[in-house]
Amino acid sequence: MRILQIDTNHSLIKQQLEAHGHHVEEDFISDHTALLSKIASYQGLILRSRVPIDRTLLDAAINLRFIARVGAGMENIDVAYAEKKGIVLINSPEGNRDAVAEHVLGSLLTITKKLASSAQQIKKGLWLREENRGDELLGKTLGIIGYGNMGKATAKRFAGLGLRVLCYDIKEGVGDSYATQVDLATLQQNAHIVSLHVPLTTDTLYLVDEKFISCMYHPFYLVNTARGKNVDTGALVAALKTNKILGASLDVLEYETASFEQLDQMPSEMEFLLNAENVLLTPHIAGWSVQSKERLAQIIVDKILKTFS
């Protein structure tokens, strides 16, 4: 097959696919308009999030047999329309689940133990002990929303830390030895920590909003490594100000561009988050590790070769 790769990924993708007789061309510059004029020449498309794959592009891709997303989220692709056209959709959520899970654990410890804020203070010559008294995880309940690859890996990381772990998912029967599956109301009644691991859909858009927060029985910590628009930032900021949310670790933000490469807005809510000592912000890197870069690519190659053997 003639395959087009439009985002930078591990070099093994091109090397291994070409070793199996496919031809891989790389184009990391062309925008949506430029791709329209050339996509008809390809049977395969490999991407991350740089260019939206909408109906216009899919209609132009008259020979396309597959789209492979190096990563988990597929919201940048018109999945239903692609499937209607018989295009095989491939992704690799298994590839960075361990990186995400470790990020959740590390970032949660950072905000509950006030590691980032106290480290910055001491660099400024401030030696504050009582002001930086930490909060223990032992005895708390962790509520994981979305119990797929990322959620399960996250629950596993918390095994042995003395937490009770609950999970909520729209699929039935996903609970395991690491997390007990419950309905959303039960999770909200019991959780002291909420970690999001859901895709961005019409059902999960602003999932954590004013209503969700008001239904939480305990003041809680929020960790979001899923998608920025799973959280209503205005509601989050309001809850941080009242201490209903005790702290937040946000690897994704509502104000990210669709490509996840930068922020496209800087409203007052964002300014608040930047200056809040109980908020940890990272630039959409939870799933990015040296190991996951290779693993994500290898899984994509393996799935392409298995599907089109």
Side-chain angles (χ1 to χ4, degrees):
M1 289 182 291
R2 190 179 181 199
I3 300 168
L4 178 64
Q5 183 169 212
I6 62 173
D7 288 286
T8 56
N9 291 297
H10 198 286
S11 58
L12 72 82
I13 292 180
K14 180 177 174 67
Q15 293 168 359
Q16 293 188 20
L17 288 176
E18 291 194 336
H20 283 80
H22 302 292
H23 177 63
V24 180
E25 297 179 21
E26 297 177 329
D27 179 354
F28 308 143
I29 300 174
S30 291
D31 59 13
H32 185 275
T33 301
L35 288 174
L36 280 173
S37 65
K38 62 187 292 185
I39 194 64
S41 301
Y42 301 95
Q43 289 79 48
L45 180 63
I46 300 174
L47 52 86
R48 285 192 287 113
S49 302
R50 186 174 65 85
V51 178
I53 309 303
D54 57 13
R55 289 191 173 213
T56 306
L57 196 56
L58 291 170
D59 282 337
I62 55 177
N63 293 302
L64 202 60
R65 299 178 66 188
F66 77 84
I67 299 172
R69 161 73 159 95
V70 183
M74 303 287 276
E75 69 272 9
N76 210 39
I77 303 167
D78 190 330
V79 171
Y81 196 59
E83 290 177 338
K84 184 179 179 180
K85 284 181 162 290
I87 298 170
V88 176
L89 298 176
I90 299 168
N91 65 343
S92 53
E94 314 95 322
N96 59 357
R97 61 188 175 192
D98 294 317
V100 169
E102 290 184 7
H103 184 98
V104 173
L105 177 57
S107 65
L108 182 60
L109 287 170
T110 297
I111 59 174
T112 57
K113 304 303 181 186
K114 302 183 180 181
L115 300 181
S117 57
S118 60
Q120 289 302 313
Q121 289 165 5
I122 201 168
K123 288 180 180 180
K124 296 176 181 178
L126 299 175
W127 189 273
L128 305 175
R129 298 186 66 208
E130 186 59 38
E131 294 86 344
N132 287 302
R133 191 178 289 276
D135 191 10
E136 295 182 7
L137 299 182
L138 181 66
K140 287 182 170 55
T141 296
L142 167 64
I144 297 176
I145 299 181
Y147 206 61
N149 282 285
M150 312 299 178
K152 288 178 180 292
T154 297
K156 189 174 181 179
R157 289 305 181 284
F158 282 86
L161 294 183
L163 289 89
R164 176 189 181 199
V165 182
L166 304 177
C167 67
Y168 167 73
D169 196 285
I170 58 174
K171 294 181 180 179
E172 295 293 334
V174 298
D176 54 23
S177 59
Y178 297 108
T180 302
Q181 186 170 8
V182 296
D183 58 31
L184 184 58
T186 300
L187 184 146
Q188 291 174 309
Q189 184 70 17
N190 290 276
H192 304 93
I193 305 157
V194 172
S195 186
L196 302 181
H197 301 277
V198 294
L200 183 61
T201 67
T202 53
D203 292 329
T204 64
L205 178 65
Y206 300 131
L207 171 66
V208 177
D209 58 7
E210 184 178 356
K211 180 179 179 181
F212 178 99
I213 295 168
S214 68
C215 289
M216 292 291 296
Y217 180 75
H218 300 288
F220 68 102
Y221 296 96
L222 176 67
V223 182
N224 188 11
T225 55
R227 289 293 182 262
K229 290 185 179 179
N230 293 141
V231 175
D232 180 331
T233 309
L236 166 64
V237 168
L240 285 166
K241 289 178 177 178
T242 63
N243 288 322
K244 182 62 181 284
I245 293 182
L246 301 171
S249 169
L250 307 173
D251 183 56
V252 291
L253 293 161
E254 180 180 352
Y255 312 115
E256 286 180 76
T257 58
S259 65
F260 310 137
E261 295 300 323
Q262 61 187 24
L263 295 176
D264 63 359
Q265 298 179 52
M266 189 60 69
S268 59
E269 290 86 358
M270 189 65 211
E271 295 283 356
F272 177 89
L273 295 177
L274 288 170
N275 292 292
E277 289 192 348
N278 59 342
V279 175
L280 179 68
L281 302 177
T282 48
H284 207 129
I285 57 167
W288 285 48
S289 67
V290 173
Q291 294 80 5
S292 71
K293 182 177 182 179
E294 180 173 353
R295 196 179 303 119
L296 285 164
Q298 189 63 63
I299 289 169
I300 285 294
V301 170
D302 292 344
K303 288 183 178 181
I304 291 172
L305 294 178
K306 180 179 180 180
T307 303
F308 297 99
S309 60

